[in-house]
Amino acid sequence: MVPALETDRLSKRFRETLAVDAVSITVPRRAIYGFLGANGAGKTTTLKLVLGLLRPDAGSIRLFGNDPAQARLRIGSLIETPSLYDHLTGRENLDLTRRLLGLPTREIDRVLDIVDLRSAARRRAGGYSLGMRQRLAIARALLGDPRLLILDEPSNGLDPDGIRDMRTLLRRLPEIGDVTLIVSSHLLAEIELVASHVGMLHKGKLLVEAPLGELTAAGGAVEVRTGDLAAAERIVGEAGFAFERVDGDAPLLVRGAPPEAIAALLVSRGQSLSHLAARRNSLEQIYHRQAAQAA
Ligand code: ATP
């Protein structure tokens, strides 16, 4: 299946700042692609290039296999703070865009349901919380049923309830239809809860890109507890696996083999297992490791 988005060595310079430096990303169809990086890493600039709001200095973009200039494709987006008419209701705000796009009125109820704003739709947008405003802006981006939805920092500045509601919404979106989601964020732990794929940007350069599970599992360890951890240590050591134990109470950490192989080895050598768990890397650990390597 052709990817929803492919960029090839995309670059953009603002005077002396190379904001986007030869970035090649691939976003598979129906992915929730977490586009991560610190403030100033170049996420917004990359997304603006993809949306045609900025012109690249070099590199190319393909949307669903096509040149973006030719792709007659609606992309829904929320870049930076949503511009809403505060004196209009949520429904009226959506109606403006609906008319511009020439869509039927029922489209408004469809998107209000998706973002869970039906009950607040007749209230003025000026009285909405920040989380509701973000959701209304996403509802507007969903008008016309876009195949690609680009959201720039949708959880930025939200309170814990707002962050949880946004997470629920992001997870629900791909279930609604054939939609691919690109979500930029500097909230690594939050993206870890929703993304299927991750691309990490650092100082304009792509550090790493992979399916989330692959990234967090790579180099991870297996935690083991047995009745006799000293014996377990000897066994895994003799089998050639790397292991470590911080202190007497900590579990034994074994690297270099999947949990089932370690369990089979220990049991075959007479060990009684009381605990076995795969310990994954967090996105935060991965980010800092990759950024340090790139420095
Ligand atoms: P943030 O989360 O803070 O928005 P970001 O990862 O989206 O960060 P960008 O906004 O893309 O980063 O900015 C990347 C770099 O380009 C920064 O150093 C920024 O100052 C610079 N930059 C962005 N837009 C412009 C502009 N219009 N003119 C000059 N410099 C710019």
Side-chain angles (χ1 to χ4, degrees), residues 2-291:
V2 291
L5 167 69
E6 264 179 302
T7 71
D8 184 23
R9 284 161 291 162
L10 204 58
S11 297
K12 179 71 184 176
R13 177 183 286 281
F14 298 107
R15 296 174 191 269
E16 60 282 355
T17 312
L18 190 53
V20 177
D21 186 1
V23 168
S24 301
I25 60 172
T26 303
V27 179
R29 286 242 329 240
R30 289 179 168 255
I32 302 185
Y33 186 96
F35 196 36
L36 302 171
N39 291 334
K43 305 179 297 292
T44 305
T45 306
T46 306
L47 298 180
K48 283 184 174 172
L49 291 168
V50 169
L51 286 166
L53 301 172
L54 287 172
R55 201 189 288 269
D57 296 323
S60 62
I61 298 165
R62 295 192 80 73
L63 288 171
F64 297 90
N66 298 311
D67 185 325
Q70 275 141 30
R72 284 215 197 91
L73 174 86
R74 193 171 131 59
I75 305 180
S77 67
L78 169 58
I79 299 272
E80 291 166 345
T81 334
S83 52
L84 299 171
Y85 291 101
D86 284 352
H87 62 288
L88 299 183
T89 65
R91 183 175 285 277
E92 286 164 347
N93 267 285
L94 293 175
D95 200 44
L96 289 176
T97 307
R98 176 198 70 79
R99 281 197 240 173
L100 277 174
L101 296 171
L103 300 168
T105 6
R106 64 171 184 280
E107 185 62 4
I108 293 187
D109 290 320
R110 186 184 75 87
V111 297
L112 280 171
D113 280 341
I114 295 173
V115 303
D116 201 16
L117 272 183
R118 191 101 174 225
S119 57
R122 296 197 184 277
R123 278 165 46 196
R124 281 178 48 247
Y128 281 12
S129 68
L130 184 59
M132 291 164 81
R133 294 174 73 81
Q134 292 289 81
R135 285 184 357 247
L136 182 61
I138 293 176
R140 187 169 57 187
L142 285 167
L143 286 167
D145 204 8
R147 296 277 79 90
L148 179 62
L149 189 63
I150 296 182
L151 306 176
D152 190 18
E153 300 275 5
S155 303
N156 209 9
L158 301 187
D159 64 12
D161 285 347
I163 289 182
R164 187 200 49 210
D165 293 346
M166 185 59 67
R167 188 188 311 146
T168 309
L169 169 59
L170 296 181
R171 281 189 179 140
R172 194 188 312 142
L173 284 174
E175 292 160 18
I176 294 160
D178 177 10
V179 65
T180 304
L181 201 57
I182 302 177
V183 187
S184 89
S185 183
H186 62 274
L187 304 173
L188 302 177
E190 191 51 38
I191 288 294
E192 198 165 344
L193 296 173
V194 297
S196 62
H197 293 72
V198 165
M200 286 186 178
L201 211 58
H202 180 65
K203 296 185 181 164
K205 284 197 168 74
L206 187 71
L207 287 178
V208 64
E209 178 182 78
L212 177 73
E214 239 172 63
L215 205 57
T216 53
V222 178
E223 284 180 4
V224 175
R225 283 185 194 279
T226 65
D228 183 354
L229 274 185
E233 249 179 40
R234 260 196 322 277
I235 295 165
V236 294
E238 282 164 15
F241 299 137
F243 65 88
E244 64 183 279
R245 187 147 61 106
V246 183
D247 58 46
D249 288 337
L252 177 65
L253 296 181
V254 188
R255 292 178 209 278
E260 53 276 22
I262 294 165
L265 169 70
L266 290 169
V267 170
S268 75
R269 299 284 298 276
Q271 293 290 303
S272 57
L273 285 175
S274 56
H275 171 82
L276 184 85
R279 184 187 276 190
R280 291 174 169 265
N281 294 301
S282 70
L283 277 184
E284 195 170 321
Q285 287 168 327
I286 296 162
Y287 174 79
H288 288 300
R289 204 178 304 146
Q290 295 279 346

